[in-house]
PDB file of all heavy atoms in Angstrom:
ATOM      1  N   ALA A 143       3.947   4.675  13.643  1.00 94.00           N
ATOM      2  CA  ALA A 143       2.619   4.517  13.073  1.00 94.00           C
ATOM      3  C   ALA A 143       1.984   5.866  12.798  1.00 94.00           C
ATOM      4  O   ALA A 143       2.329   6.871  13.411  1.00 94.00           O
ATOM      5  CB  ALA A 143       1.738   3.698  14.011  1.00 94.00           C
ATOM      6  N   ILE A 144       1.042   5.841  11.866  1.00 95.00           N
ATOM      7  CA  ILE A 144       0.279   7.030  11.514  1.00 95.00           C
ATOM      8  C   ILE A 144      -1.166   6.600  11.283  1.00 95.00           C
ATOM      9  O   ILE A 144      -1.427   5.559  10.691  1.00 95.00           O
ATOM     10  CB  ILE A 144       0.880   7.725  10.266  1.00 95.00           C
ATOM     11  CG1 ILE A 144       0.178   9.034   9.950  1.00 95.00           C
ATOM     12  CG2 ILE A 144       0.878   6.809   9.068  1.00 95.00           C
ATOM     13  CD1 ILE A 144       0.834   9.846   8.835  1.00 95.00           C
ATOM     14  N   LEU A 146      -4.790   7.570   9.572  1.00 93.00           N
ATOM     15  CA  LEU A 146      -5.206   8.319   8.390  1.00 93.00           C
ATOM     16  C   LEU A 146      -6.700   8.197   8.179  1.00 93.00           C
ATOM     17  O   LEU A 146      -7.277   7.132   8.421  1.00 93.00           O
ATOM     18  CB  LEU A 146      -4.510   7.753   7.145  1.00 93.00           C
ATOM     19  CG  LEU A 146      -2.999   7.680   7.168  1.00 93.00           C
ATOM     20  CD1 LEU A 146      -2.505   6.641   6.200  1.00 93.00           C
ATOM     21  CD2 LEU A 146      -2.430   9.038   6.846  1.00 93.00           C
ATOM     22  N   GLN A 166      15.967   6.654   6.062  1.00 88.00           N
ATOM     23  CA  GLN A 166      16.827   6.553   7.241  1.00 88.00           C
ATOM     24  C   GLN A 166      17.460   5.168   7.379  1.00 88.00           C
ATOM     25  O   GLN A 166      18.361   4.985   8.186  1.00 88.00           O
ATOM     26  CB  GLN A 166      16.024   6.869   8.507  1.00 88.00           C
ATOM     27  CG  GLN A 166      15.509   8.288   8.549  1.00 88.00           C
ATOM     28  CD  GLN A 166      14.505   8.504   9.675  1.00 88.00           C
ATOM     29  OE1 GLN A 166      14.329   7.669  10.544  1.00 88.00           O
ATOM     30  NE2 GLN A 166      13.830   9.646   9.636  1.00 88.00           N
ATOM     31  N   HIS A 175      10.878   4.247  -3.996  1.00 93.00           N
ATOM     32  CA  HIS A 175       9.796   4.392  -4.971  1.00 93.00           C
ATOM     33  C   HIS A 175       8.907   3.139  -4.968  1.00 93.00           C
ATOM     34  O   HIS A 175       7.669   3.241  -5.002  1.00 93.00           O
ATOM     35  CB  HIS A 175      10.353   4.644  -6.368  1.00 93.00           C
ATOM     36  CG  HIS A 175       9.310   4.617  -7.431  1.00 93.00           C
ATOM     37  ND1 HIS A 175       8.413   5.643  -7.619  1.00 93.00           N
ATOM     38  CD2 HIS A 175       9.000   3.665  -8.346  1.00 93.00           C
ATOM     39  CE1 HIS A 175       7.601   5.332  -8.610  1.00 93.00           C
ATOM     40  NE2 HIS A 175       7.929   4.132  -9.064  1.00 93.00           N
ATOM     41  N   VAL A 180       3.720   0.427  -3.431  1.00 91.00           N
ATOM     42  CA  VAL A 180       3.007  -0.584  -2.648  1.00 91.00           C
ATOM     43  C   VAL A 180       2.013   0.074  -1.687  1.00 91.00           C
ATOM     44  O   VAL A 180       0.857  -0.348  -1.592  1.00 91.00           O
ATOM     45  CB  VAL A 180       4.010  -1.472  -1.872  1.00 91.00           C
ATOM     46  CG1 VAL A 180       3.312  -2.316  -0.826  1.00 91.00           C
ATOM     47  CG2 VAL A 180       4.795  -2.344  -2.835  1.00 91.00           C
ATOM     48  N   LEU A 185      -3.370   1.120   0.181  1.00 93.00           N
ATOM     49  CA  LEU A 185      -4.316   2.051   0.797  1.00 93.00           C
ATOM     50  C   LEU A 185      -5.473   2.386  -0.135  1.00 93.00           C
ATOM     51  O   LEU A 185      -6.614   2.529   0.312  1.00 93.00           O
ATOM     52  CB  LEU A 185      -3.609   3.326   1.253  1.00 93.00           C
ATOM     53  CG  LEU A 185      -2.646   3.150   2.427  1.00 93.00           C
ATOM     54  CD1 LEU A 185      -1.979   4.483   2.762  1.00 93.00           C
ATOM     55  CD2 LEU A 185      -3.342   2.573   3.651  1.00 93.00           C
ATOM     56  N   GLU A 190     -11.154   2.012  -1.494  1.00 88.00           N
ATOM     57  CA  GLU A 190     -12.160   1.734  -2.520  1.00 88.00           C
ATOM     58  C   GLU A 190     -12.930   0.439  -2.280  1.00 88.00           C
ATOM     59  O   GLU A 190     -14.120   0.367  -2.598  1.00 88.00           O
ATOM     60  CB  GLU A 190     -11.501   1.696  -3.895  1.00 88.00           C
ATOM     61  CG  GLU A 190     -10.992   3.058  -4.333  1.00 88.00           C
ATOM     62  CD  GLU A 190     -10.326   3.052  -5.694  1.00 88.00           C
ATOM     63  OE1 GLU A 190     -10.160   1.968  -6.294  1.00 88.00           O
ATOM     64  OE2 GLU A 190      -9.966   4.143  -6.162  1.00 88.00           O
ATOM     65  N   SER A 217      -3.725  -1.479   8.956  1.00 95.00           N
ATOM     66  CA  SER A 217      -4.878  -1.974   9.702  1.00 95.00           C
ATOM     67  C   SER A 217      -6.097  -1.135   9.361  1.00 95.00           C
ATOM     68  O   SER A 217      -5.997   0.076   9.190  1.00 95.00           O
ATOM     69  CB  SER A 217      -4.611  -1.883  11.211  1.00 95.00           C
ATOM     70  OG  SER A 217      -3.449  -2.585  11.554  1.00 95.00           O
ATOM     71  N   ASP A 224      -9.480 -11.815   0.799  1.00 83.00           N
ATOM     72  CA  ASP A 224      -8.532 -12.922   0.721  1.00 83.00           C
ATOM     73  C   ASP A 224      -7.844 -12.871  -0.641  1.00 83.00           C
ATOM     74  O   ASP A 224      -8.448 -13.203  -1.660  1.00 83.00           O
ATOM     75  CB  ASP A 224      -9.251 -14.256   0.897  1.00 83.00           C
ATOM     76  CG  ASP A 224      -8.315 -15.451   0.832  1.00 83.00           C
ATOM     77  OD1 ASP A 224      -7.087 -15.263   0.682  1.00 83.00           O
ATOM     78  OD2 ASP A 224      -8.815 -16.583   0.937  1.00 83.00           O
ATOM     79  N   THR A 227      -7.972 -15.625  -3.444  1.00 83.00           N
ATOM     80  CA  THR A 227      -9.134 -15.862  -4.294  1.00 83.00           C
ATOM     81  C   THR A 227      -9.009 -15.199  -5.666  1.00 83.00           C
ATOM     82  O   THR A 227      -9.839 -15.421  -6.529  1.00 83.00           O
ATOM     83  CB  THR A 227     -10.421 -15.347  -3.623  1.00 83.00           C
ATOM     84  OG1 THR A 227     -10.328 -13.929  -3.464  1.00 83.00           O
ATOM     85  CG2 THR A 227     -10.643 -16.016  -2.277  1.00 83.00           C
ATOM     86  N   ARG A 240      -7.101  -3.603 -23.168  1.00 72.00           N
ATOM     87  CA  ARG A 240      -6.732  -2.232 -22.797  1.00 72.00           C
ATOM     88  C   ARG A 240      -7.363  -1.807 -21.471  1.00 72.00           C
ATOM     89  O   ARG A 240      -7.847  -0.692 -21.307  1.00 72.00           O
ATOM     90  CB  ARG A 240      -7.096  -1.250 -23.903  1.00 72.00           C
ATOM     91  CG  ARG A 240      -6.358  -1.525 -25.171  1.00 72.00           C
ATOM     92  CD  ARG A 240      -6.785  -0.572 -26.261  1.00 72.00           C
ATOM     93  NE  ARG A 240      -6.176  -0.987 -27.506  1.00 72.00           N
ATOM     94  CZ  ARG A 240      -5.566  -0.173 -28.332  1.00 72.00           C
ATOM     95  NH1 ARG A 240      -5.488   1.099 -28.069  1.00 72.00           N
ATOM     96  NH2 ARG A 240      -5.033  -0.635 -29.440  1.00 72.00           N
ATOM     97  N   ARG A 241      -7.320  -2.742 -20.530  1.00 66.00           N
ATOM     98  CA  ARG A 241      -7.894  -2.468 -19.213  1.00 66.00           C
ATOM     99  C   ARG A 241      -7.040  -1.459 -18.461  1.00 66.00           C
ATOM    100  O   ARG A 241      -5.835  -1.387 -18.642  1.00 66.00           O
ATOM    101  CB  ARG A 241      -7.985  -3.755 -18.404  1.00 66.00           C
ATOM    102  CG  ARG A 241      -9.013  -4.714 -18.966  1.00 66.00           C
ATOM    103  CD  ARG A 241      -9.149  -5.942 -18.119  1.00 66.00           C
ATOM    104  NE  ARG A 241      -9.442  -5.590 -16.731  1.00 66.00           N
ATOM    105  CZ  ARG A 241      -9.303  -6.436 -15.728  1.00 66.00           C
ATOM    106  NH1 ARG A 241      -8.870  -7.656 -15.943  1.00 66.00           N
ATOM    107  NH2 ARG A 241      -9.581  -6.061 -14.494  1.00 66.00           N
ATOM    108  N   LEU A 247      -2.823  -5.702  -6.767  1.00 71.00           N
ATOM    109  CA  LEU A 247      -2.423  -6.825  -5.926  1.00 71.00           C
ATOM    110  C   LEU A 247      -1.129  -7.450  -6.443  1.00 71.00           C
ATOM    111  O   LEU A 247      -0.247  -7.809  -5.667  1.00 71.00           O
ATOM    112  CB  LEU A 247      -3.547  -7.867  -5.884  1.00 71.00           C
ATOM    113  CG  LEU A 247      -3.278  -9.113  -5.079  1.00 71.00           C
ATOM    114  CD1 LEU A 247      -3.063  -8.759  -3.610  1.00 71.00           C
ATOM    115  CD2 LEU A 247      -4.441 -10.086  -5.221  1.00 71.00           C
TER     116      LEU A 247
END
Side-chain angles (χ1 to χ4, degrees):
I144 185 173
L146 305 157
Q166 296 169 11
H175 172 75
V180 167
L185 291 179
E190 292 180 355
S217 303
D224 180 2
T227 63
R240 297 178 187 227
R241 291 183 55 196
L247 179 62

